[in-house]
Amino acid sequence: MFKVTEDIIYVGVNDHEVDLFEGQYDVPNGMSYNSYVVLDEKVAVFDTVDAHFKDEWFANLEEAFAGRTPDYLIVQHMEPDHAANIANFAEKYPEAKIVGNAKTFPMMKQFFGTDFADRQIVVKEGETLSTGKHNLTFVMAPMVHWPEVMMTYDTTDKIFFSADAFGKFGALDVEEEWDCEARRYYIGIVGKYGPMVQKLFAKVGSLEINAICPLHGPVLTENLGHYLNLYTIWSSYQVETEGTVIAYTSVYGNTKKAVELLAEKLTEEGCPKVVVTDLARDDMAEAVEDAFRYGKLILATTTYNGDIFPFMKEFINHLTERSYQNRKIGFVENGSWAPMAAKIMKAAFEKSKNITFADTTVTVRSAVNEESEAQIAALAKEMK
């Protein structure tokens, strides 16, 4: 627990038990599930926490309340890591009203079998709830990253409660750089919905903001322009860092040797950054993150069962379903007979926007030879 401002208290929890967030993302430093209390003439609580931390959360609430009882539970997001304790809260504090929007309560009924009809306060875009000194203005943010998401701006302290936006992987009791785990979080979870994030920015871009209070990760209080700039880059699918990512799979090591040679040639050509990732062994979410971070991508894999190697297929799917665009892509294929990986990989991007393909395709037939070495050198010149 800590004070965000004199009247706003953080009452969230840290989770070091989770191994895979959302069943797929490796989180070696855990997660935080953030919740906030506004102590005013009336008491408002922002969101609940994961079901496993009910008792710790209620203990935090009771300490923050200091003998008072809450008047409102504001539900910004119905995903279970934030909404799991709504029914428990409603039972413990029967006088409290539950604040949501028109899309919140049908989803609530799906999760809990009730929408608490007699306790609802349904809010719309731009409406304000006063707790006394504080005026809480609601901003609808559909598909950032669920349809019912809303955010809240406290006009008094200039605090923006941003739901899952500006969140990151990692518990709050572990110090680490924000950018990397926030980028991996954004690309993995919100990345598909860049246009919706841009629409949100159009609504809130003119607000004076002293702090951003997300539902995961630290409260952001300094250098807010840095975080806003990164979100602008990510949500508009711009290149954040110049460089080239080589993502590969290799069965017996020959494709790997081609990749190693290519990485060497790229460095010799002056490529500002070369990132090599083995899709079978490295973290898939980090590979996806890097593909969106850098401006150029080279995909290297084998023809496999008349298709491409499964990890490469998964990787490309992660990219295309998140609207991968505005990038240059090159291909390295390996096939002992009938190589067709490059053709298949290229076709996977046929619906992607503003993708440029390298003129050179490297074709390895079983193992690198003089011909494929020349192709590798030519591709390095194109993708440096």
Side-chain angles (χ1 to χ4, degrees):
M1 288 180 54
F2 58 86
K3 283 190 172 185
V4 178
T5 68
E6 190 60 33
D7 302 326
I8 300 174
I9 302 172
Y10 174 90
V11 292
V13 300
N14 290 315
D15 181 1
H16 288 287
E17 299 171 16
V18 60
D19 60 340
L20 292 175
F21 182 68
E22 291 195 352
Q24 61 176 315
Y25 298 106
D26 185 36
V27 282
N29 289 330
M31 287 297 297
S32 71
Y33 310 118
N34 299 347
S35 175
Y36 305 90
V37 170
V38 177
L39 283 178
D40 201 352
E41 293 173 26
K42 293 188 175 181
V43 177
V45 178
F46 280 90
D47 298 289
T48 80
V49 300
D50 185 86
H52 296 89
F53 298 90
K54 177 187 74 172
D55 294 340
E56 182 180 349
W57 180 61
F58 276 128
N60 288 348
L61 287 178
E62 288 298 305
E63 184 177 344
F65 293 159
R68 299 178 65 183
T69 55
D71 297 280
Y72 306 109
L73 173 63
I74 297 171
V75 180
Q76 299 186 117
H77 186 19
M78 278 300 303
E79 201 168 5
D81 53 334
H82 308 298
N85 284 294
I86 290 174
N88 292 324
F89 181 96
E91 181 180 3
K92 187 174 179 68
Y93 304 111
E95 300 302 315
K97 298 292 187 181
I98 300 176
V99 182
N101 59 67
K103 294 181 180 179
T104 307
F105 292 103
M107 203 172 284
M108 200 175 292
K109 190 166 186 176
Q110 292 173 186
F111 277 110
F112 301 110
T114 177
D115 58 6
F116 306 96
D118 58 336
R119 299 168 64 175
Q120 293 181 11
I121 296 178
V122 182
V123 297
K124 298 178 181 178
E125 177 74 47
E127 290 187 344
T128 296
L129 175 69
S130 175
T131 59
K133 183 174 73 173
H134 292 267
N135 293 306
L136 307 174
T137 299
F138 299 104
V139 180
M140 300 301 120
M143 299 317 301
V144 184
H145 59 122
W146 277 28
E148 87 302 346
V149 171
M150 67 180 188
M151 301 175 186
T152 310
Y153 179 62
D154 172 22
T155 62
T156 304
D157 284 346
K158 315 299 184 192
I159 306 298
F160 185 49
F161 297 90
S162 62
D164 270 348
F166 299 98
K168 66 176 283 292
F169 297 127
L172 297 193
D173 55 2
V174 178
E175 287 193 18
E176 61 183 355
E177 179 196 24
W178 186 87
D179 293 10
C180 182
E181 287 295 69
R183 184 190 303 106
R184 188 165 70 99
Y185 174 92
Y186 175 88
I187 298 301
I189 294 173
V190 190
K192 178 180 176 66
Y193 304 109
M196 289 70 172
V197 176
Q198 290 283 300
K199 287 181 180 178
L200 171 67
F201 278 7
K203 294 181 186 180
V204 304
S206 62
L207 296 178
E208 179 185 351
I209 298 174
N210 291 332
I212 298 173
C213 292
L215 290 179
H216 296 292
V219 174
L220 304 176
T221 58
E222 297 179 349
N223 196 19
L224 297 184
H226 171 75
Y227 308 113
L228 292 167
N229 179 60
L230 284 178
Y231 255 63
T232 298
I233 291 170
W234 299 340
S235 62
S236 57
Y237 306 97
Q238 299 175 39
V239 174
E240 180 184 347
T241 307
E242 291 299 330
T244 301
V245 175
I246 309 174
Y248 78 93
T249 65
S250 188
V251 180
Y252 294 109
N254 288 300
T255 306
K256 181 179 180 179
K257 287 179 181 178
V259 165
E260 290 171 342
L261 178 58
L262 177 58
E264 180 183 316
K265 294 293 185 182
L266 283 165
T267 302
E268 290 175 0
E269 291 288 343
C271 183
K273 179 71 174 180
V274 180
V275 178
V276 178
T277 183
D278 179 346
L279 296 175
R281 294 173 175 83
D282 297 333
D283 183 78
M284 183 66 73
E286 287 199 15
V288 173
E289 171 198 350
D290 283 337
F292 277 87
R293 178 179 181 177
Y294 296 96
K296 295 168 186 167
L297 173 66
I298 298 172
L299 303 175
T301 195
T302 54
T303 302
Y304 189 84
N305 287 338
D307 205 319
I308 55 176
F309 204 72
F311 290 108
M312 180 60 74
K313 184 181 289 188
E314 179 188 356
F315 178 66
I316 292 174
N317 185 57
H318 280 303
L319 299 182
T320 56
E321 71 179 12
R322 288 166 175 80
S323 302
Y324 192 71
Q325 57 189 274
N326 304 327
R327 299 295 189 275
K328 185 172 184 177
I329 302 177
F331 301 108
V332 177
E333 62 179 356
N334 191 345
S336 294
W337 70 96
M340 55 193 304
K343 179 181 178 181
I344 292 169
M345 289 190 288
K346 186 175 183 178
F349 293 95
E350 63 183 6
K351 295 182 180 179
S352 299
K353 297 178 181 178
N354 197 24
I355 296 293
T356 302
F357 297 108
D359 293 330
T360 302
T361 295
V362 176
T363 298
V364 177
R365 290 185 175 271
S366 303
V368 175
N369 58 20
E370 287 186 9
E371 183 180 0
S372 52
E373 280 187 9
Q375 293 171 347
I376 287 170
L379 183 60
K381 287 183 181 295
E382 276 196 74
M383 300 293 287
K384 63 184 178 182

